[in-house]
Structure formats: C-alpha cells, structure tokens
Amino acid sequence: MSDRPHQPLPELGTLFRYGKRSAQVAFQSGAHPSQVVYIGGMDEGLIGVPYIPSLASSLDDQGWSLVQAQISSSYLGYGVGSLDRDAKELAMLAAHLKAERGCQRIVIIGHSTGCQDVVRYVKRNLSDTDLPPLAGAVLQAPVSRTRRNVCSRV
C-alpha cells in the first residue's frame, strides 16, 4: 500500500494500441503485474463513468493497474458489431497485456452493457493459456440501457 494521499489519477498513465484498428486502444493507470480491465457500457469509452479516477487510485494503492479498454463497439460503435467481436478484441488486449506489459493476472469489469462483453469473454477464453489467468469478473450495473428503457415504459 502507498503512503501517499488518496487522490484520483484520471490522466496519469499510458495510452497504447493493442491492435491494428484505430479503435483498439487502451489506457493504463499504474504499472503493476495485476491488472483490472474495465469495459464501459453503451456509448462509453475512456473515463466513461465518474468513478474511474477514484477506482484507478484505489487499485494502485492495492498494487493493481486499471486498464480502460476501448473496443470497436465503444462510443458510436455500439450496435454495429457483435459480442463475439468484442470478446475477440478483449482477448487481443489481454494477450497484449501479457506479452508486452508483464500482466500476470487480470480481473475484468463490465459496466452496464459492458457486462455482456465480460460474460462472452469469460465463456470464450476462460481456459486460454495464452492469456493472463482470470482472477475475477465483475458485472457492475448489469442492465442494458435499451432493456431499461423498454421496462420503464411498461
């Protein structure tokens, strides 16, 4: 644990490419071998929710890095791809984290519709030894905005 005061670190880190497509970038806060990969919900991308800076700081204090994933379905790309494509891109990111950034284990967090990507990633890649071992999966606010809007009209 760090002795420094707990302060949000929204802009401290490294932006990097993990694939050839322009959307395949990620932002890493911290430089630890244990990494939490965050996937935002519909229309979200980097720093898509207000708690990201505090999450990055808290994880850093515990010896974990936060990696915010941007995939092809981030921002306006929602609805023009598939969960399988998202899971494939997340596997590309995980492979990059292992090979290029020394990642030894990951936890994957999905927010809102990003939870669907987490479930698909786990289903497709749980036993893949080319990827860092999965230490956990978190489904945070696991409801899609579309589903919420339909239910609120009933």
Side-chain angles (χ1 to χ4, degrees):
M1 296 199 37
S2 173
D3 291 337
R4 67 176 169 73
H6 181 75
Q7 296 178 354
L9 304 172
E11 17 346 88
L12 298 178
T14 305
L15 182 67
F16 62 91
R17 286 185 171 277
Y18 64 88
K20 295 180 182 177
R21 298 185 65 174
S22 62
Q24 295 169 335
V25 297
F27 185 82
Q28 181 176 351
S29 303
H32 304 285
S34 299
Q35 299 174 356
V36 173
V37 176
Y38 174 88
I39 301 104
M42 185 169 33
D43 303 332
E44 291 178 0
L46 304 178
I47 313 177
V49 293
Y51 61 78
I52 289 293
S54 294
L55 178 61
S57 290
S58 295
L59 288 170
D60 187 52
D61 289 345
Q62 299 298 318
W64 287 75
S65 296
L66 178 65
V67 178
Q68 297 174 65
Q70 181 174 305
I71 54 180
S72 296
S73 64
S74 297
Y75 298 112
L76 297 178
Y78 178 79
V80 296
S82 69
L83 292 174
D84 286 328
R85 182 183 72 185
D86 291 352
K88 183 178 179 181
E89 289 184 18
L90 291 170
M92 289 172 53
L93 172 58
H96 176 90
L97 291 173
K98 183 177 181 180
E100 304 295 327
R101 300 189 160 275
C103 182
Q104 296 176 1
R105 63 183 175 161
I106 64 170
V107 169
I108 188 168
I109 299 175
H111 173 258
S112 191
T113 53
C115 294
Q116 298 170 27
D117 290 329
V118 171
V119 171
R120 187 61 54 99
Y121 174 88
V122 171
K123 183 178 177 182
R124 287 184 55 156
N125 301 297
L126 186 60
S127 60
D128 189 336
T129 58
D130 292 330
L131 303 177
L134 185 65
V138 177
L139 307 179
Q140 199 276 316
V143 64
S144 74
R145 190 179 312 159
T146 305
R147 179 74 176 150
R148 183 193 69 201
N149 290 344
V150 168
C151 291
S152 67
R153 286 186 245 151
V154 175

